[in-house]
Amino acid sequence: MQSASDLNAPRRKATSLANAVHQLFGLVAHAADPGNVNLSDQPELAADIAALYRQAEHHTRSPRTARPENAGGSSNR
């Protein structure tokens, strides 16, 4: 398994961006749960967050395009 320091600059940037997006949507998921954040005084914001969460959830469950063989690295999940 490669560490981040072993990756070339564009790959490090892509990895960093992917991590930031993952963290952002973790925060959106947290905010979308009424048990975590009380937005009863901000119904429009609550609706917007719920819509954003549903949209993100839909995109993460969509079929993904297979990675080209020459994309580098392997997934050990």
Side-chain angles (χ1 to χ4, degrees):
M1 181 177 195
Q2 289 182 316
S3 69
S5 62
D6 295 336
L7 303 174
N8 61 25
R11 181 78 175 168
R12 268 196 319 270
K13 184 176 180 179
T15 300
S16 178
L17 179 60
N19 287 337
V21 170
H22 178 76
Q23 289 177 344
L24 173 64
F25 281 109
L27 292 171
V28 170
H30 183 80
D33 184 345
N36 292 326
V37 179
N38 180 0
L39 294 174
S40 59
D41 60 337
Q42 299 287 329
E44 290 179 12
L45 178 59
D48 289 344
I49 290 171
L52 181 60
Y53 179 73
R54 284 190 304 273
Q55 183 180 13
E57 189 176 46
H58 169 74
H59 285 290
T60 59
R61 291 187 177 169
S62 297
R64 299 192 183 226
T65 305
R67 285 179 47 158
E69 292 300 318
N70 62 357
S74 64
S75 179
N76 294 331
R77 290 183 189 179

